[in-house]
Amino acid sequence: MTEPLRTIAPPVVQPLLPPFFDAPAIEESRATCGDCAMCKKPDQTAVPGAEYFIPDAKCCTYEPTLPNFLAGAILDDDAAELAEGRARIRAKIAGRNLVTPAWIAASRKFRLLLDAARTTSFGRTTKLLCPYFDAGRCTIWRHRESVCSTFFCKHVGGAYGHSFWRALKAFLGHTETALARWAARTVDPELPETELPRLPLTIEDVEDRPPDDATYASWWGRWVGREEAFYGECLARVRALDRAAFEAIVLADDRGRSALETLRLAYDRATKPVLAERLVLADDLRPARSGDGVVVVPYSSYDAQHLSESLYEVLKMLRAEETVSDFVDRIRREREVDVPRDLLLHLQMLGIVVPPDAEA
Ligand code: SF4
Ligand code: SF4
């Protein structure tokens, strides 16, 4: 049986999410993480235009920004498989670099490097490995945050699936921010809200050192040296919430409500897709010849698609002024070929064919 959507969130958040999250989760069976779908097998020929990751990094060339209550949840979870994760969180706390009452974050230097190298190096170098990644596995998996829990390299629902996961990431990310700020404020109203702009880099950032003691003390006040206890208190506050209190924190403003509405729409579109009345071949597919067909790169560079030459030629015959039904009839007359509507819907979801107005 398919698990409900809420199981994608970490355990402490799951029971608090609105009833919408009882809908079945979307299973991304094409992202075969145990045998990573982005890693080229030794006997596999590289597909033109496709990107590949290395097995000892996969998509974990990233460092999450962990909200206080999830840091607390990791430290509070005594499962044996989290022992390494707990040790790594404690090492991060001891290092003091971007360890604040609201977040345990990647250093500014790392974030800058990641942003600058994303298109060339994501998934392709161990130099950008997440500090919670250990020998091919995530050491904090059960309590990972919204970016990690919603990333998939390939989507069963193509572009529609991709949009859904992006909407879920936005909603869960908003949830984390709202809860982390609320928890920090509630545990100690005297603490200032620490703003951590990406730039400029301090000399400590450049030299991979923590901030000076005075700066660190200005973030933590009386909690310096007791950061772990603070995160535990934040966890306790979030655990004690009921759904009404959660909604008062997370859905109190337009941002939360509109993120939830966008998520609902994206879920409906991904799970109940409708064939457009008119379709054309997308114009940004970067087609490349490959064997007996054409490789195109539609909604994501991680999900190149192989089309037979004959199918690609037929798709080029789509016209903006013609309905899909008329197109199917015309191809049957002119080419004696049936183009199934299911196939067109599949290609529409992948973003290989798109409604003409999407091309404007
Ligand atoms: S989601 Fe990550 S680990 Fe899973 S198959 Fe894709 S790249 Fe590999
Ligand atoms: S927290 Fe876990 S899933 Fe996320 S990047 Fe790190 S190792 Fe990967």
Side-chain angles (χ1 to χ4, degrees), residues 30-38 53 58-59 151-154:
R30 296 181 59 230
T32 51
C33 304
D35 178 20
C36 180
M38 288 296 295
F53 292 170
K58 303 197 276 189
C59 52
F151 177 85
F152 294 94
C153 52
K154 300 177 195 298

Side-chain angles (χ1 to χ4, degrees), residues 68-336:
N68 47 26
F69 61 93
L70 286 187
I74 294 162
L75 293 168
D76 185 61
D77 190 329
D78 58 6
E81 73 265 23
L82 274 141
E84 183 62 29
R86 290 192 297 274
R88 291 180 183 216
I89 292 287
R90 289 194 172 109
K92 282 286 294 185
I93 294 172
R96 290 186 166 190
N97 198 344
L98 286 224
V99 172
T100 79
W103 310 101
I104 295 182
S107 72
R108 280 195 191 88
K109 189 169 149 184
F110 182 83
R111 286 196 282 172
L112 204 60
L113 188 62
L114 197 59
D115 286 351
R118 190 175 301 272
T119 54
T120 59
S121 308
F122 184 77
R124 276 157 275 189
T125 172
T126 53
K127 299 280 181 211
L128 295 174
L129 260 189
C130 172
Y132 309 116
F133 187 81
D134 182 37
R137 97 184 166 97
C138 172
T139 58
I140 60 166
W141 181 255
R142 190 180 308 159
H143 306 286
R144 68 200 190 287
E145 47 72 280
S146 53
V147 175
C148 295
S149 62
T150 59
F151 177 85
F152 294 94
C153 52
K154 300 177 195 298
H155 302 280
V156 170
Y160 291 13
H162 189 227
S163 298
F164 160 74
W165 289 104
R166 274 206 315 220
L168 183 57
K169 179 174 76 172
F171 179 74
L172 292 179
H174 168 75
T175 297
E176 286 166 0
T177 302
L179 288 180
R181 288 192 175 145
W182 170 84
R185 256 194 330 267
T186 312
V187 171
D188 189 342
E190 301 294 313
L191 288 182
E193 209 165 88
T194 27
E195 297 294 337
L196 299 171
R198 293 198 160 214
L199 291 172
L201 261 62
T202 63
I203 187 158
E204 290 87 0
D205 291 327
V206 173
E207 295 182 346
D208 298 315
R209 290 189 283 117
D212 61 59
D213 287 351
T215 304
Y216 193 73
S218 74
W219 295 351
W220 280 96
R222 65 195 172 90
W223 294 90
V224 173
R226 296 192 301 134
E227 296 87 346
E228 192 173 326
F230 184 87
Y231 292 144
E233 287 291 327
C234 292
L235 171 67
R237 304 299 163 108
V238 174
R239 265 196 188 138
L241 291 173
D242 60 18
R243 232 180 235 182
F246 169 85
E247 290 187 6
I249 297 163
V250 172
L251 300 176
D253 59 9
D254 283 349
R255 192 158 166 239
R257 287 193 296 271
S258 112
L260 184 57
E261 189 49 27
T262 303
L263 174 60
R264 279 189 226 277
L265 294 173
Y267 181 80
D268 281 352
R269 188 164 168 261
T271 54
K272 289 173 263 180
V274 177
L275 184 64
E277 196 187 342
R278 292 164 205 272
L279 288 168
V280 292
L281 190 64
D283 66 4
D284 53 354
L285 294 174
R286 295 185 270 149
R289 297 280 146 200
S290 172
D292 58 351
V294 177
V295 171
V296 293
V297 184
Y299 72 98
S300 160
S301 56
Y302 302 150
D303 201 4
Q305 299 286 319
H306 184 274
L307 304 176
S308 68
E309 182 73 43
S310 54
L311 176 59
Y312 188 61
E313 287 306 314
V314 164
L315 296 177
K316 286 204 283 195
M317 296 172 72
L318 281 158
R319 296 178 192 150
E321 64 279 7
E322 185 178 52
T323 65
V324 165
S325 295
D326 288 347
F327 164 76
V328 170
D329 290 345
R330 178 165 62 84
I331 298 300
R332 192 178 295 125
R333 272 196 321 275
E334 292 178 4
R335 298 246 172 157
E336 296 183 356

